Amino acid sequence: RGRPLRRVRGRLGPAEAAPGEDTTATAQEMAHDPKNDEQLQQQQQRHVDCDYSIPLKSLDGDLSSLAPMSGAAAHTSHASSNNPAISALTARMDAEVPFQTSELSTFDACIEAADAMAANDSGRTPRNSSGGGGGGGSNNNYDSDAAAYGGFDRKTRQRICQVSFATVVFLYCFGPTLVPKIKKFLKSQNFGDFVPSVKDGKFMGRYPNSLLTLFYPYTLLRDIVLDQPIAESDVPFFWYVHKSDYEIGKKVLTDCYGLTLVELKDYDSIEKAQRMNIVSGLSRQHVIMSPHIRQVCEIFTMDNFGRMFAFFRHPLDYELVPEMPTFPDKDNYLTRLLSDVHEGPIEYKQLGIAKKVVYVTTLVGKIDRMVDSIIRWGKYWGWSFEPGKDESCVVDIVDKYNPEETYIDHESEEWKKFYQDNLLDCQLFEQSDAAWRGQIQTAIPYDIQLKRAEPSEDEEEDEDEE
């Protein structure tokens, strides 16, 4: 409030004339201008209720920022010098007496009155009017530092600092608690395209960072067709959902192929495997088995991608293992699991994510063609049967554990209701059936993968010439 004092004092009379300059004409013009007289009368009438009694004694506070200018500069003639408020202010400034905090309300009112009269004399816009914004040129007289702060006066800068500080304190105190809750709420409401944020070191995979948010964590799985041949650092991942899938897969992989299994049935074992970076010590002769697809995908890294294979079946034949999570909504279980939308409505966007998992990242098996599917897996990975074992080993195990398919009349009300409730899972099953047929030609045996990866004779000659 110190700087406005200097402005009031400067406006008590006209600016000092330069040596030899005649100001009489200007004063006369103003005196005989009826318009100026009418405006001055209105301003004085508007502030007639202002309390001009400003005490000059009993000062118990010292506001150094309100220290007035020297008394010599305060003696200027003005038509309004008979105003008691201006006289009191002038006398107090001459005495260089600081103002108390208790006097500021009265003082502010007097400033407004004096400022309005000074504005009328000079033809400028008063500082409190709509045309005199904080960044205007006239305000520089009130706060000479405003230009250095984007045109904001001192009071505005103080408010900005106070709000900024309060915001920082609020976020520091309550941010760690509120942010997870907000994210959980938005995700539960399926708000827009709410997806994880991309962070280097975590959201990695086969695509650039900008493409990871929707399909993560499946980006840490190899493309079954395009990413051939299989790298030595790739880790097989058998994802099972149903009881017979687990029993058949475990027996075949150990008894027929002699592979080493790493079973991750619960979240604690998955977390431990991720913390130990267990995939860095695995190869094609090790197979990770788990029903928790999304959590297991996150243990793979850019150095050790996963390659997934799994059985798919019609929704009528679901027999989930006990380790599988349960969802509030019981419809379209597999689509909800793969898209990570466990409750609320799901649409074709979620079905699209689930379909991409099937035909891009999964070497598909079918329960009605289990033997053929397992033989294809072995050739794709380059696995060999244990000594004394052959395809008959696979046939015997499948015959023992393979479940029978469920048949139902498609004209019955029961089927119509089931199909309506599980439409997306039925379409996902059709996608897996199409992927299985396509992989007859695209899922190439391991030895052929290696041969095709070798440079041709023409390529070798070009390299020699270079």
Side-chain angles (χ1 to χ4, degrees):
R1 296 180 183 275
R3 296 187 183 275
L5 265 179
R6 290 195 278 274
R7 182 176 179 83
V8 171
R9 295 186 60 208
R11 294 296 181 182
L12 294 180
E16 295 182 4
E21 182 178 353
D22 185 8
T23 61
T24 306
T26 302
Q28 291 176 352
E29 292 175 1
M30 294 179 60
H32 295 286
D33 189 345
K35 183 177 181 181
N36 289 339
D37 294 342
E38 181 180 355
Q39 292 179 351
L40 180 59
Q41 184 177 2
Q42 292 176 353
Q43 295 291 345
Q44 292 175 341
Q45 181 64 30
R46 185 178 304 146
H47 298 285
V48 69
D49 295 329
C50 177
D51 184 5
Y52 297 117
S53 58
I54 302 179
L56 301 180
K57 298 181 180 180
S58 304
L59 301 179
D60 56 0
D62 184 1
L63 301 179
S64 57
S65 61
L66 297 178
M69 296 188 301
S70 62
H75 293 286
T76 55
S77 61
H78 192 272
S80 304
S81 59
N82 294 329
N83 190 311
I86 298 176
S87 302
L89 290 174
T90 304
R92 191 159 186 175
M93 293 175 192
D94 293 343
E96 299 187 1
V97 179
F99 290 90
Q100 299 181 74
T101 305
S102 59
E103 300 171 331
L104 293 182
S105 60
T106 302
F107 181 65
D108 285 345
C110 295
I111 286 180
E112 292 181 5
D115 179 67
M117 288 184 288
N120 179 69
D121 292 341
S122 62
R124 67 173 178 83
T125 303
R127 58 177 169 172
N128 289 333
S129 66
S130 59
S138 62
N139 286 334
N140 291 335
N141 295 327
Y142 293 108
D143 189 350
S144 60
D145 296 333
Y149 293 94
F152 296 106
D153 57 17
R154 178 178 299 175
K155 182 179 293 185
T156 303
R157 297 199 302 270
Q158 290 176 346
R159 292 287 178 83
I160 293 175
C161 291
Q162 291 170 354
V163 172
S164 302
F165 179 75
T167 303
V168 171
V169 172
F170 177 82
L171 293 177
Y172 179 81
C173 296
F174 302 102
T177 303
L178 292 178
V179 170
K181 293 182 178 179
I182 294 174
K183 286 185 176 181
K184 185 177 180 180
F185 171 77
L186 293 177
K187 193 172 184 180
S188 65
Q189 298 298 317
N190 195 24
F191 185 79
D193 293 336
F194 186 81
V195 289
S197 301
V198 175
K199 299 179 181 178
D200 290 334
K202 180 177 180 181
F203 291 93
M204 295 296 184
R206 294 175 284 108
Y207 308 125
N209 273 354
S210 60
L211 300 177
L212 295 183
T213 54
L214 183 62
F215 200 51
Y216 182 84
Y218 306 120
T219 48
L220 291 169
L221 297 174
R222 289 286 195 186
D223 189 309
I224 293 299
V225 175
L226 298 181
D227 293 335
Q228 297 184 93
I230 299 173
E232 287 296 330
S233 59
D234 290 350
V235 180
F237 169 35
F238 176 52
W239 173 49
Y240 62 89
V241 179
H242 311 288
K243 298 175 182 178
S244 57
D245 296 352
Y246 169 75
E247 294 168 348
I248 293 173
K250 183 175 181 179
K251 291 289 290 183
V252 167
L253 295 175
T254 55
D255 295 354
C256 300
Y257 289 104
L259 301 174
T260 302
L261 303 183
V262 180
E263 296 192 44
L264 303 176
K265 290 186 176 183
D266 54 72
Y267 297 133
D268 291 338
S269 60
I270 295 174
E271 183 180 355
K272 183 178 180 180
Q274 184 176 18
R275 187 170 60 251
M276 296 174 60
N277 192 21
I278 192 174
V279 296
S280 62
L282 304 181
S283 66
R284 289 188 301 112
Q285 302 303 314
H286 301 83
V287 179
I288 294 178
M289 293 183 61
S290 178
H292 306 295
I293 179 173
R294 296 185 65 89
Q295 290 74 19
V296 170
C297 283
E298 294 200 35
I299 74 174
F300 298 115
T301 65
M302 296 286 286
D303 297 323
N304 298 95
F305 283 96
R307 283 185 185 263
M308 187 171 70
F309 55 102
F311 289 112
F312 289 88
R313 60 181 67 191
H314 195 277
L316 285 171
D317 300 321
Y318 285 180
E319 49 168 355
L320 304 179
V321 294
E323 295 83 8
M324 295 303 296
T326 57
F327 304 145
D329 294 329
K330 306 304 180 183
D331 61 321
N332 300 297
Y333 181 87
L334 206 56
T335 304
R336 291 186 178 277
L337 177 69
L338 294 176
S339 63
D340 201 29
V341 179
H342 300 165
E343 58 182 321
I346 56 174
E347 301 174 350
Y348 285 99
K349 173 184 175 181
Q350 287 73 39
L351 177 61
I353 296 175
K355 282 186 173 182
K356 192 168 184 179
V357 174
V358 173
Y359 72 80
V360 173
T361 65
T362 308
L363 190 59
V364 177
K366 296 176 57 180
I367 64 170
D368 59 335
R369 303 293 295 273
M370 269 195 167
V371 174
D372 294 338
S373 300
I374 294 173
I375 298 301
R376 181 189 298 175
W377 293 351
K379 292 180 179 180
Y380 178 84
W381 284 101
W383 293 330
S384 300
F385 286 106
E386 285 283 271
K389 301 291 181 65
D390 54 18
E391 294 183 7
S392 61
C393 176
V394 177
V395 174
D396 293 339
I397 294 175
V398 170
D399 289 342
K400 181 178 180 180
Y401 295 101
N402 191 22
E404 295 183 359
E405 296 182 84
T406 302
Y407 295 93
I408 189 173
D409 182 8
H410 284 193
E411 298 299 327
S412 64
E413 293 297 326
E414 180 184 1
W415 162 252
K416 292 179 181 179
K417 178 66 167 60
F418 180 85
Y419 185 76
Q420 181 180 1
D421 294 340
N422 296 276
L423 173 62
L424 301 185
D425 268 18
C426 290
Q427 294 187 16
L428 184 62
F429 169 71
E430 294 173 2
Q431 177 65 63
S432 67
D433 197 39
W436 187 90
R437 293 194 303 269
Q439 289 174 359
I440 295 175
Q441 295 180 325
T442 57
I444 305 170
Y446 183 67
D447 55 343
I448 300 179
Q449 295 178 32
L450 296 179
K451 289 180 181 180
R452 291 185 176 181
E454 295 176 355
S456 63
E457 295 181 359
D458 294 337
E459 291 176 346
E460 291 180 351
E461 291 178 0
D462 293 341
E463 291 179 358
D464 293 339
E465 292 177 0
E466 292 178 357

